[in-house]
Amino acid sequence: MKNRVQSSRLSKPWGFFILGSCVRHVICGVVAWWVIFQCGFPGVMVLAFDGEMMKRRQQGILTGMPFMANVAPRTFVDDLGRKLYLANPPKRIVSLAPSVTEILFAIGLNEEIVGVTEFCDFPPEALAKPKVGYATPNLETILGLQPQLVLAPRSFLRADLITKLEQLKIPIFILEAHTVEDILAHIQLLGRMVGHSEEANAQAALMRKQLASLSSRLVDLPRPTLLYILNSSPLITVGPGSFIHRLIELAGGRNAAEHAVAPYPRLTMEEVLRQNPDILLFPVGRQEGISQVEQDSWKRWTTLAAVQHGKLFQVDSDLLNRPGPRILEGLKYLVKILHPEVSQDNLPN
């Protein structure tokens, strides 16, 4: 069943994050599983959490500086500030986000990935992996896969699920990307966690080189205003504090919601008309996106510059909404529609 953005529903998968409130889910059989697993899975790693929030170094997007300091070599800090100690790289991993699944495959994992969400569809190998749900992951299914590590986004994960997994001595590590640099840092962090640092560092380094090369070609160019429409009714877009906002800036554009106070703000049409974007961009895809009917409805706003000049574009939602390796493809597409005069030939590879 496809899950596209509709005006009547806001709880939709956005690759890594979900818009709206999460559906409460009662999981049965927990007591029985507790009896079986209270001693932990064979070979599971030592787990140690710390509630003290991690202090990150300020860093530029192209620096490649390590984003954790004063942490032991096999101790890792997630985006909730919780410390996790792994005695050895995990051999059985469950991913609860399509973006995380893409990162794991990109840095060379396959057999180690034993469970993914229903929306993990890239690369094609992910389709063959056992499914554990999405917004309401099935605890019994997860336990049956005997994971040594669960990787999850912060945006929709329920506190009760985290608590139950901790009680069952199953390490769970939370990731939440606010910037493009966060995504690159996550790639390198996961590489260290799973014993694939060389592949992860190479992936992040290539992405940084391509970012630098593209950025150098956009210096001193005008910055057209772009509105990225995540949802039409109510109108939801991206704002400061979201990695997509940063991608728009890196592509040489100005976000129409640059003054918003939330990462994914609601806008009124009055505000849209006041900003008068040069470009309207709609996500489309197999699992999420804006329908063609909703896209066409924007043409009635004939005073908008984007409508007057016919600059209504579509983008594969997976390329922009998933904070993983393919954001470079999303960035390249943004550059193409914002600055079609800029050549993208001879990028580092």
Side-chain angles (χ1 to χ4, degrees):
M1 178 178 178
K2 295 185 179 181
N3 290 271
R4 294 182 177 275
V5 175
Q6 302 293 335
S7 59
S8 60
R9 296 185 63 189
L10 291 184
S11 295
K12 294 296 180 181
W14 292 108
F16 194 99
F17 52 90
I18 264 195
L19 297 175
S21 59
C22 300
V23 179
R24 293 184 178 178
H25 182 64
V26 179
I27 302 176
C28 300
V30 172
V31 174
W33 280 107
W34 165 251
V35 173
I36 296 172
F37 292 102
Q38 62 179 337
C39 294
F41 291 110
V44 76
M45 291 70 69
V46 178
L47 183 64
F49 289 121
D50 190 327
E52 181 182 356
M53 289 301 292
M54 169 183 63
K55 294 182 179 179
R56 299 189 179 200
R57 294 179 177 176
Q58 294 295 324
Q59 56 187 14
I61 188 169
L62 306 176
T63 63
M65 294 292 290
F67 85 101
M68 291 191 299
N70 301 320
V71 179
R74 294 300 302 169
T75 300
F76 307 94
V77 182
D78 72 7
D79 289 330
L80 292 183
R82 299 149 72 249
K83 291 181 182 178
L84 170 64
Y85 173 74
L86 301 177
N88 297 292
K91 298 301 181 184
R92 299 185 63 82
I93 302 171
V94 168
S95 167
L96 297 183
S99 55
V100 173
T101 300
E102 292 192 19
I103 291 174
L104 294 177
F105 275 102
I107 62 177
L109 273 68
N110 190 338
E111 296 299 323
E112 299 91 340
I113 306 169
V114 298
V116 299
T117 76
E118 296 170 1
F119 300 105
C120 293
D121 56 3
F122 188 88
E125 291 82 356
L127 295 170
K129 298 294 182 179
K131 304 301 187 291
V132 299
Y134 189 75
T136 55
N138 188 297
L139 182 58
E140 292 190 25
T141 301
I142 293 174
L143 295 178
L145 295 172
Q146 300 186 23
Q148 295 178 333
L149 178 64
V150 175
L151 297 168
R154 179 180 181 180
S155 302
F156 69 82
L157 196 64
R158 306 186 321 274
D160 65 312
L161 179 60
I162 296 177
T163 300
K164 288 182 174 68
L165 289 173
E166 290 177 355
Q167 289 174 344
L168 296 170
K169 299 182 174 65
I170 301 175
I172 180 168
F173 196 83
I174 310 301
L175 297 166
E176 182 177 37
H178 295 285
T179 67
V180 175
E181 180 58 35
D182 284 345
I183 299 171
L184 302 176
H186 285 165
I187 292 173
Q188 292 181 281
L189 171 62
L190 290 177
R192 289 176 52 224
M193 294 178 73
V194 303
H196 282 243
S197 286
E198 184 176 349
E199 297 93 329
N201 291 339
Q203 175 76 44
L206 175 59
M207 293 174 71
R208 286 189 175 94
K209 288 179 181 178
Q210 292 188 345
L211 282 166
S213 181
L214 277 175
S215 297
S216 67
R217 305 177 189 196
L218 302 172
V219 175
D220 297 329
L221 292 180
R223 303 179 71 83
T225 301
L226 181 147
L227 177 64
Y228 185 46
I229 302 166
L230 287 175
N231 198 79
S232 290
S233 182
L235 176 55
I236 299 175
T237 184
V238 297
S242 70
F243 65 90
I244 303 176
H245 166 81
R246 184 62 181 137
L247 283 173
I248 294 172
E249 292 184 331
L250 288 170
R254 186 181 75 84
N255 184 5
E258 65 181 357
H259 299 301
V261 296
Y264 302 99
R266 295 189 181 192
L267 293 183
T268 64
M269 275 310 302
E270 289 77 8
E271 177 63 19
V272 174
L273 293 172
R274 185 162 49 249
Q275 293 296 328
N276 193 22
D278 302 296
I279 293 172
L280 297 178
L281 183 60
F282 304 92
V284 295
R286 185 173 65 87
Q287 295 175 344
E288 56 183 345
I290 304 296
S291 69
Q292 189 62 52
V293 171
E294 291 183 54
Q295 294 178 46
D296 290 340
S297 70
W298 280 82
K299 296 178 181 179
R300 72 181 185 273
W301 301 102
T302 55
T303 60
L304 290 178
V307 175
Q308 292 178 351
H309 297 97
K311 292 191 175 183
L312 284 71
F313 296 96
Q314 299 176 342
V315 62
D316 184 342
S317 59
D318 294 347
L319 301 184
L320 278 188
N321 295 352
R322 295 184 180 183
R326 290 195 290 167
I327 60 163
L328 258 297
E329 297 305 313
L331 178 64
K332 292 174 185 177
Y333 181 76
L334 288 176
V335 172
K336 180 180 177 180
I337 63 175
L338 286 163
H339 296 286
E341 74 279 10
V342 173
S343 171
Q344 298 189 35
D345 296 336
N346 302 316
L347 290 176
N349 52 44

